[in-house]
Amino acid sequence: MFRGKKAKLGLSLFSAGVVLLVGCSEKGSSTEGGEEGASIETIDIMTMSYTPEPPQNDSLVIKELEELTGKKMNMLFVPSTTYGDRFNVTLASGNLPHVMLGDKSPSYISAVRDGAFWDLTDYLDDYENLKINDIVKENVSIEGRVYGIPRARPLGRNAVVIRKDWLENLGMDMPETLEDFHEVLKAFTYDDPDGNGEDDTYGMAISEFEGPWDIMQTWFGAPNKWGFDESGELVPDFTTDEYREAIKWFNQIFEEGLINEDFAIMDPTQWTNPMVNEEVGLIVDVADTAGRMNKAMTDRDPELDDVLDVFGAVSGDHGLVTKPTTGYHSVFSVSKTSVKNEEELKEVLQFLNDLNSEEAQNLTINGIEGRHYEVEDGNLVSLVADDEKKRNEFQDLNQIQMYLPEEKFLKPEESELTKRSNVVMVQNEEIVLPDPAYPLVSKVYAQRGQQLDNIIGDARIQYIIGELDDAGFDEAVQTWMSSGGEDYVKEINELYKEAQSGSN
Amino acid sequence: MTRLKGEPALQAPVNVSPKRSRFQRILRDKWMYLLLLPGVIYFLLFKILPMWGVLLAFQNYSPFLGFWGSEWVGFEHFQRFFSDPDFVRLMRNTVILAIYDLIFFFPAPIILALLLNEVRISIYKRTIQTLVYVPHFMSWVIIASISYVFLTTSGGIINVLVERLTGSQISFLSHPDWFRPMIIAQIIWKESGWGTVIFLAALAGVSQEQYEAAIVDGAGRFRRMWHVTLPALRSTIVILLILRLGNFLDQGFQQIYLMTNSLNRDVADVFDTYVYFMGITQGAFSYSTAVGLFKAVVGIILIFGANHLAKRFGQGGIF
């Protein structure tokens, strides 16, 4: 802190001098290194926002963070739904902020290849709060190098949220196998689980978002995107028998009316509504959605507290497996055009490191003590639950938080449900099935990935609603292969072998 | 009516030397030229200047390397596009939609204008006119939402009606066969009213004497429409048709994008959405520029072709 303040003071004096001498100076742009090597005054950070009113640069919380890190912050919030587009447009403009959130999209990768971002691999170990878990490090890396600091997320986050009171009403146990799961879906649909005498419920809600299918098919033993065939070659998941078995079952539950008929066109933002409105009994999503859903349900009807439960997965013929998350949600990359030399890079890294300190984690997640929260028995008590305006002073600042090396912020006293979902997330880490090809960077995919994904994604949906039969799906696989998929498979196998021999 | 608005009405009679006269004319009409200036600047700044950007289509443009640092690849992107299996599908979808648009949407404002023209009660006519304009001012997002609410199979009012009448629902939103009719119906609903503006303006100029003469000759309402009203509209129709052909391959990106889902994507993908997916979502800037350039070239060919044809058939054309 001391260092930061001194640096800031030194900088402001220095830049004042420059302004006098030169007569003009761009905000935050670099000047020839001063005594302390401090040359970046303001750090521009581009990240996504999830609320309509993210904090402004004059927010009290940002002021506190600036105090803490010794850097001025210029936040560029972009709504999460259009972030990918804005990311590409920003890249195209060539005018990059110092720190920019990105994910491993083709355009990000080609930007990395062109040298748009700093290679951080050799620097991260110098910073206490920038140490990354090995699996995640491998996942974020491009050709073995790390170009961004990941925002950590639990690997075992995927889970099922279920109405346990409905199970009790029906005299059923928590499902453990796929057969149980199927029975539960049927009972939720046809056996009047809410006991109101009307046929107004169904088993599972699914939206246009294809995540639930991806998760459920791993329960059948289908690989997570890429698996190995008998000869040890990598093959895409949809060429396996397990995958076919899974989509056959999806088609069956669709025909039986156990899921919403309009899932293929349902807006993902509406996804949890049927659950909140007590029309549906379970949802396959991330475990922590349970807490949010519980809040929405109790807001509607206080009686509905304690009706939800969470479980990780159900077992099929291949035992208990589920799909992991990648362990991170996008990375913060440092631009080479705005951060010109190593000294500046170190400053930015120091800033990011400081953002992960306990104090900064609390500021970004909970706001300011006394204003936004209080501490009682080591637990957090929010003071702004009903004060949206004050909440807006810090909400969305969690989007600059990386939670490295771990979560250090204060949490409210955990409800049973939150405890359950945390337990499930930890348990899940034991059964997650990694995607062996995830760290590999394919050129074919960069060029044709979107079309390839669409071919199979659409075919799966059409198969589920019964518009494609097995022959039709085979044809889609053929189309996939002939539209560049064959080259993709070949390339992935070569890259994989290369990576394996490289690491041994 | 064969003479167009915008054609110079004033031909300054000059008998001084041409060089002097031009300067003098400019000096004399300086305020006119001043009025013209904003328009000229607009076109230079936003239409002509960005045109150098089409050069990206012949590069492997990388934003970080910049325009000068990027590699030149000639026609590689065009080759890739034309040999791409998607090309045929995109072409088919775009052309079919464009043809539907010409057949079903293009006549709609004309018919509507003719009908409105027959309405003699002024207040009634104006009310109707205003009402049919309104949808033009709604954004596609709203129209897509309205369509969704009306057509969804889970309680959409139209599907409830269909179910009462036929016993089963129709998945308008997700079935590929319904995609094109739905798109065209949306366009007709949104733009027909607005499209009548130009036709009604043209009709306002038709001399009442012609109608009176026709009545004296014993023409009924339909005959009057056929022999007086429609010929008065002919040149307007031709010009709008030529202009429309110039945009033949443009299928309003927003609308298609909003109505696309994984079940109808096969018929829904058009050049406009493809450019978006390749350029903005995938970051293939050069490739999508090449696709956009191809579309523009087709548009130019069509507009010149149609203009030429119009002239051969004795119509004015637009240039």
Side-chain angles (χ1 to χ4, degrees):
Chain A
M1 266 213 53
F2 172 66
R3 219 192 75 130
K5 267 191 182 158
K6 200 172 158 196
K8 196 178 165 191
L9 185 70
L11 176 81
S12 35
L13 287 176
F14 182 71
S15 55
V18 171
V19 171
L20 282 176
L21 282 173
V22 186
C24 73
S25 162
E26 256 194 319
K27 53 115 205 172
S29 67
S30 67
T31 49
E32 289 297 307
E35 286 287 311
E36 303 266 336
S39 36
I40 298 183
E41 190 185 4
T42 305
I43 297 191
D44 301 332
I45 309 167
M46 180 165 147
T47 187
M48 42 179 92
S49 62
Y50 284 88
T51 67
E53 289 177 66
Q56 302 289 310
N57 283 336
D58 58 1
S59 145
L60 288 170
V61 184
I62 291 186
K63 291 268 173 286
E64 291 271 323
L65 279 171
E66 289 176 341
E67 190 80 357
L68 194 71
T69 56
K71 295 280 176 213
K72 277 194 78 66
M73 293 160 63
N74 179 29
M75 296 302 306
L76 309 161
F77 280 109
V78 177
S80 63
T81 43
T82 55
Y83 191 83
D85 293 0
R86 268 290 284 279
F87 177 82
N88 285 335
V89 172
T90 310
L91 269 188
S93 78
N95 188 9
L96 306 189
H98 299 101
V99 177
M100 187 175 186
L101 195 67
D103 63 2
K104 260 176 123 176
S105 62
S107 51
Y108 175 79
I109 290 165
S110 65
V112 162
R113 286 231 167 89
D114 298 336
F117 300 118
W118 282 91
D119 178 349
L120 307 174
T121 325
D122 302 327
Y123 297 98
L124 295 181
D125 287 338
D126 301 341
Y127 299 90
E128 202 184 327
N129 293 336
L130 298 180
K131 293 202 191 331
I132 315 168
N133 160 312
D134 283 340
I135 302 179
V136 178
K137 196 181 233 171
E138 179 146 331
N139 278 346
V140 299
S141 66
I142 292 170
E143 282 152 8
R145 311 297 291 175
V146 176
Y147 293 92
I149 300 160
R151 303 189 302 172
R153 295 287 185 274
L155 274 168
R157 199 173 170 210
N158 292 329
V160 186
V161 184
I162 189 168
R163 285 290 293 262
K164 66 175 178 195
D165 60 328
W166 285 13
L167 282 177
E168 274 161 31
N169 291 349
L170 296 162
M172 298 178 95
D173 293 325
M174 282 289 260
E176 281 173 8
T177 64
L178 273 169
E179 287 80 51
D180 296 347
F181 189 69
H182 197 168
E183 287 310 313
V184 166
L185 288 180
K186 271 191 206 159
F188 278 179
T189 311
Y190 295 112
D191 297 347
D192 191 21
D194 56 357
N196 66 356
E198 278 175 51
D199 179 17
D200 57 357
T201 59
Y202 59 98
M204 167 165 55
I206 294 188
S207 74
E208 209 174 10
F209 172 57
E210 298 183 0
W213 306 119
D214 293 336
I215 297 169
M216 286 190 289
Q217 69 203 20
T218 56
W219 300 349
F220 286 82
N224 178 4
K225 296 240 172 73
W226 292 88
F228 296 95
D229 66 3
E230 298 85 25
S231 56
E233 293 280 302
L234 279 168
V235 291
D237 54 0
F238 51 83
T239 57
T240 62
D241 295 340
E242 289 85 1
Y243 183 97
R244 194 62 67 91
E245 197 192 324
I247 60 174
K248 218 165 254 169
W249 185 79
F250 297 160
N251 170 242
Q252 193 185 346
I253 59 171
F254 178 81
E255 302 278 337
E256 288 171 350
L258 309 184
I259 55 177
N260 44 324
E261 203 184 336
D262 65 343
F263 76 88
I265 50 172
M266 185 191 210
D267 189 340
T269 57
Q270 314 283 315
W271 185 16
T272 51
N273 291 0
M275 191 87 175
V276 174
N277 297 335
E278 297 183 75
E279 290 162 18
V280 76
L282 67 85
I283 235 171
V284 180
D285 192 8
V286 289
D288 41 303
T289 197
R292 287 188 289 271
M293 217 131 59
N294 187 58
K295 178 157 189 320
M297 287 168 83
T298 45
D299 280 352
R300 194 171 156 266
D301 180 358
E303 298 265 300
L304 288 175
D305 203 11
D306 197 33
V307 298
L308 295 177
D309 203 349
V310 185
F311 65 91
V314 294
S315 61
D317 297 342
H318 293 72
L320 195 60
V321 275
T322 194
K323 184 182 183 303
T325 67
T326 51
Y328 73 99
H329 178 8
S330 306
V331 298
F332 279 118
S333 289
V334 183
S335 148
K336 265 195 177 166
T337 41
S338 345
V339 178
K340 292 194 177 62
N341 51 45
E342 218 176 339
E343 279 73 52
E344 293 187 359
L345 172 66
K346 284 184 175 159
E347 273 179 65
V348 173
L349 289 176
Q350 185 61 45
F351 166 79
L352 291 172
N353 182 69
D354 295 345
L355 270 187
N356 282 311
S357 67
E358 191 176 331
E359 240 181 312
Q361 287 205 7
N362 265 322
L363 280 170
T364 51
I365 310 299
N366 300 324
I368 300 168
E369 185 172 357
R371 181 176 176 84
H372 301 113
Y373 69 93
E374 277 174 344
V375 185
E376 254 173 47
D377 308 326
N379 286 319
L380 170 125
V381 179
S382 172
L383 299 173
V384 290
D386 303 316
D387 190 341
E388 205 181 324
K389 212 174 158 201
K390 272 193 177 169
R391 231 175 25 233
N392 283 341
E393 291 172 357
F394 67 93
Q395 249 181 0
D396 268 338
L397 278 178
N398 59 0
Q399 298 304 319
I400 56 170
Q401 189 48 255
M402 292 145 275
Y403 308 106
L404 291 172
E406 62 198 2
E407 294 184 355
K408 294 180 200 154
F409 58 93
L410 284 162
K411 292 171 189 171
E413 197 181 356
E414 287 179 341
S415 67
E416 279 306 307
L417 188 63
T418 319
K419 277 187 195 148
R420 266 296 289 156
S421 46
N422 289 341
V423 169
V424 165
M425 285 197 259
V426 175
Q427 281 173 349
N428 267 352
E429 288 192 19
E430 302 291 315
I431 58 165
V432 293
L433 180 72
D435 169 3
Y438 189 84
L440 308 176
V441 176
S442 152
K443 282 197 191 71
V444 181
Y445 190 78
Q447 236 179 29
R448 303 208 37 100
Q450 181 93 43
Q451 288 97 307
L452 289 175
D453 287 349
N454 278 351
I455 293 172
I456 289 300
D458 293 353
R460 178 170 64 179
I461 300 290
Q462 285 160 10
Y463 190 94
I464 293 170
I465 65 164
E467 253 173 41
L468 280 188
D469 53 9
D470 278 306
F473 193 83
D474 288 337
E475 213 172 285
V477 172
Q478 277 315 312
T479 315
W480 189 87
M481 288 291 178
S482 60
S483 321
E486 233 156 78
D487 301 332
Y488 180 34
V489 175
K490 219 172 108 203
E491 193 190 5
I492 284 289
N493 272 297
E494 278 161 15
L495 289 169
Y496 185 74
K497 282 189 192 110
E498 218 170 278
Q500 288 309 98
S501 60
S503 63
N504 287 334
Chain B
M1 278 311 293
T2 46
R3 184 170 274 264
L4 257 180
K5 269 185 268 173
E7 246 176 77
L10 290 171
Q11 292 285 352
V14 278
N15 40 18
V16 255
S17 74
K19 218 170 194 178
R20 252 184 92 90
S21 81
R22 182 172 299 147
F23 180 70
Q24 275 182 339
R25 264 186 289 156
I26 290 176
L27 207 65
R28 189 190 59 198
D29 297 330
K30 53 184 180 296
W31 300 118
M32 290 290 182
Y33 283 101
L34 202 66
L35 273 178
L36 183 72
L37 205 61
V40 172
I41 292 176
Y42 166 80
F43 277 101
L44 279 179
L45 206 59
F46 295 107
K47 302 283 170 188
I48 310 288
L49 201 66
M51 275 215 203
W52 70 273
V54 302
L55 290 176
L56 297 192
F58 306 98
Q59 284 194 324
N60 245 341
Y61 179 69
S62 147
F64 184 68
L65 298 177
F67 180 73
W68 300 110
S70 296
E71 178 197 2
W72 290 89
V73 295
F75 283 90
E76 192 188 295
H77 294 299
F78 292 92
Q79 276 171 1
R80 183 179 143 206
F81 180 49
F82 294 135
S83 58
D84 194 302
D86 280 337
F87 177 74
V88 179
R89 191 170 60 93
L90 290 169
M91 192 68 175
R92 190 186 59 217
N93 289 343
T94 311
V95 169
I96 291 179
L97 265 181
I99 290 172
Y100 276 25
D101 186 273
L102 276 185
I103 296 176
F104 297 106
F105 168 66
F106 188 76
I110 302 172
I111 296 169
L112 196 60
L114 288 177
L115 292 176
L116 280 173
N117 193 47
E118 294 300 312
V119 177
R120 287 287 165 247
I121 308 163
S122 167
I123 178 103
Y124 180 63
K125 179 176 164 185
R126 262 188 252 142
T127 317
I128 298 278
Q129 230 177 313
T130 314
L131 284 178
V132 294
Y133 285 177
V134 172
H136 171 77
F137 299 101
M138 291 185 194
S139 85
W140 279 115
V141 179
I142 292 171
I143 291 173
S145 312
I146 295 176
S147 311
Y148 184 86
V149 170
F150 273 76
L151 298 174
T152 173
T153 46
S154 45
I157 187 157
I158 293 185
N159 251 323
V160 170
L161 268 176
V162 170
E163 196 177 17
R164 294 258 167 87
L165 292 173
T166 65
S168 61
Q169 299 202 327
I170 300 174
S171 32
F172 293 104
L173 292 166
S174 55
H175 202 283
D177 291 349
W178 281 100
F179 180 76
R180 286 170 188 139
M182 185 172 66
I183 291 291
I184 298 300
Q186 283 178 335
I187 299 179
I188 291 178
W189 187 75
K190 186 177 191 291
E191 298 297 350
S192 293
W194 186 249
T196 58
V197 175
I198 292 172
F199 295 111
L200 286 172
L203 285 175
V206 183
S207 150
Q208 284 303 313
E209 286 164 17
Q210 291 191 38
Y211 286 110
E212 282 156 16
I215 293 170
V216 171
D217 286 346
R221 276 209 146 188
F222 185 74
R223 287 256 152 203
R224 291 203 298 268
M225 200 192 273
W226 190 254
H227 290 291
V228 182
T229 320
L230 264 182
L233 285 181
R234 193 165 54 208
S235 58
T236 315
I237 293 173
V238 169
I239 285 158
L240 286 177
L241 189 64
I242 294 172
L243 290 175
R244 176 70 197 93
L245 282 174
N247 300 329
F248 191 66
L249 294 185
D250 295 341
Q251 291 300 331
F253 162 76
Q254 279 191 44
Q255 185 195 9
I256 307 269
Y257 177 72
L258 288 165
M259 301 312 294
T260 306
N261 56 55
S262 54
L263 297 172
N264 61 21
R265 199 193 314 277
D266 213 34
V267 295
D269 269 348
V270 292
F271 288 122
D272 286 334
T273 51
Y274 189 70
V275 169
Y276 166 77
F277 280 121
M278 295 309 294
I280 306 291
T281 358
Q282 294 238 73
F285 302 111
S286 283
Y287 183 64
S288 56
T289 309
V291 178
L293 185 59
F294 160 76
K295 228 187 64 177
V297 169
V298 173
I300 289 177
I301 293 171
L302 281 171
I303 213 167
F304 275 96
N307 194 51
H308 181 72
L309 271 182
K311 279 188 174 155
R312 279 193 64 173
F313 287 111
Q315 293 295 325
I318 50 173
F319 43 77

